[in-house]
Structure formats: C-alpha cells, structure tokens
Amino acid sequence: MYVIDPSIRLRRAIHTNDALLSRRILKSHPQLLHNPDLSLTGNANSNLHLAASLGHISICRLLVELGHETGTPALNDEHQTALMLAAAAGHTEVVHALSENDAPSILRQDLRGRDAIMEASLHGHDTAVQILLTYAPGGAADALAQADVDGNTALHFASSNGNLLVLRTLLAAGADAGRMNAWSWTAEAYSATVQAEVYLKTLVGEVERRKLARREGEMAKNGGAVRLVEQEVGD
C-alpha cells in the first residue's frame, strides 16, 4: 500500500484550505510545523509562506497559534517572510493578522532589500499598504524611508505600478517624493503612465501646499502670542 509522506499531505491540506486536517497532521507530526518546501521550485517556503501566499487565514492563524513564528519569522531562500508574500498578493486578512502578531516583521527586508510595504505598493494593494503603515513600528514616515538595495522606496514601486490610490496613501503618510534611488531617479521618473505622472505631481503639489499652510499657521500663532505678551507687559 502506497502511503503519502506526511509533509506532502500537510502541504496538500494547506492548498485546499483544510485547517482541521492540517491540525490533525501537525498533532501527529509536530516536527512538520515549518516543513520548508525543498523541491526545485519550492524556494524553501514554509507552511506559513504557503498559506499566506494563498490567503488562507484560518491556517495562518493555526500555524501562528502553534508557534510557527515564535522567536523570529520563518524566511525562505530569498529571506522573504510570509507577511511579504501576503502583502504582494493583497491578502488583507492575512496581512492584518500577521502584522498584529509581529509588527517588527513589517520592516524586515529580504535579499533585495524589499519589505512588505514595498511588495504591497509594487502590486497595487492599497488596503494592505494602509494596514502595514498602521502597524509599522516607529510610524509610517520612518517605514517609508526604507529603501531596497537599489535605493528604491515604496513610492518608487507604487509609481512604477501606476496605482493612484497607493500613491495617495504613501504621500499622505509621509513618503518623500524627492527621494532618489541609486541612479538618481525619483519616483516621478518611474511613473508607469502619463496619467500616473500627472497625478503624482498633483499630489506632491497638494502636500507642499498643506505643509506651507501649516507653517504659516504656526508662525501666525506664535506671532500672536508674542504680541499678547508685549501688551500685558505694557499694561
């Protein structure tokens, strides 16, 4: 009688989104919690990488519950986390659950220097971007200052994709539109379409006008306070 290897059975259960079967297999074979796929095309993806890439939230929660990410997130051959794969695929429920479980992993970068925010921006998943920025340690602006090995930021990736919603979200969160990559290109220069380039210029103009308005408001407020003190001293 032919018996299927438990590691293969587990991956099949994850593919079919069968959380109950996955739990039973892991109960009998706890050593398969990570179960990296060592096949030629497997990229050493763990169980959580697979479940996250497919958007199977119940299995992701099961694996996290069993300690899959305890200590440090599992990495595949490209040093990608499961969160990166979920962000690239736009699986918002999984992105939310994994961000909530381990916020520092949002800033972790792979071999190319890309993080989960860059992946979500590249593939145009605005909701995933918003979730990641909400949970990012140190705040959204600091997270958006990260760059890959070529100096590209999340804004560069969003511009190359041409997703207008992501462009607006990133700029509103503090992305630096003037930031240049290793070849001295700004995000605007990477615009996928003329429409995206015009939209980005418009958004940058809006951000600059708001900054100027805030500065003028603060100066007026401070100036008013000085005049008030002078009047009180004169009295």
Side-chain angles (χ1 to χ4, degrees):
M1 179 179 176
Y2 177 71
V3 179
I4 300 174
D5 186 274
S7 65
I8 297 175
R9 288 173 53 220
L10 179 55
R11 275 194 285 274
R12 288 182 179 178
I14 294 172
H15 266 290
T16 58
N17 199 19
D18 193 332
L20 290 177
L21 178 57
S22 298
R23 184 183 288 275
R24 286 202 301 271
I25 295 172
L26 286 170
K27 185 176 181 179
S28 301
H29 305 277
Q31 76 279 7
L32 294 179
L33 179 59
H34 287 90
N35 191 28
D37 186 349
L38 301 179
S39 65
L40 291 176
T41 59
N43 205 27
N45 283 322
S46 71
N47 291 327
L48 188 60
H49 283 94
L50 178 57
S53 69
L54 296 172
H56 294 168
I57 183 63
S58 59
I59 294 181
C60 288
R61 286 177 174 149
L62 167 65
L63 294 170
V64 170
E65 171 197 327
L66 295 177
H68 191 289
E69 301 293 89
T70 299
T72 184
L75 304 177
N76 62 17
D77 281 343
E78 296 179 21
H79 287 196
Q80 295 170 311
T81 62
L83 177 59
M84 291 177 192
L85 301 190
H91 297 310
T92 54
E93 277 191 302
V94 177
V95 169
H96 184 270
L98 296 182
S99 297
E100 196 170 42
N101 177 69
D102 182 17
S105 67
I106 295 171
L107 303 180
R108 184 180 282 273
Q109 294 171 280
D110 64 15
L111 290 178
R112 297 169 296 179
R114 296 183 183 182
D115 58 28
I117 299 172
M118 294 177 197
E119 290 290 351
S121 299
L122 173 62
H123 294 91
H125 301 304
D126 185 60
T127 303
V129 170
Q130 292 186 42
I131 293 169
L132 292 164
L133 292 175
T134 298
Y135 283 93
D142 286 349
L144 293 175
Q146 290 203 146
D148 71 359
V149 294
D150 295 316
N152 293 310
T153 65
L155 193 63
H156 283 89
F157 287 112
S159 182
S160 69
N161 170 273
N163 189 287
L164 307 185
L165 285 176
V166 176
L167 287 174
R168 175 174 284 279
T169 295
L170 295 178
L171 285 171
D176 182 2
R179 178 83 170 268
M180 295 183 179
N181 64 13
W183 292 278
S184 299
W185 292 91
T186 63
E188 181 184 315
Y190 276 5
S191 297
T193 62
V194 174
Q195 181 189 19
E197 182 179 356
V198 172
Y199 188 71
L200 180 55
K201 287 180 179 178
T202 302
L203 290 177
V204 171
E206 287 181 10
V207 170
E208 291 303 317
R209 284 193 294 272
R210 289 173 184 170
K211 287 181 180 178
L212 179 60
R214 280 198 299 270
R215 285 197 296 268
E216 290 177 345
E218 290 172 358
M219 289 175 64
K221 182 179 179 180
N222 292 336
V226 170
R227 286 193 295 272
L228 179 60
V229 171
E230 289 175 347
Q231 291 173 355
E232 289 177 351
V233 171
D235 291 343

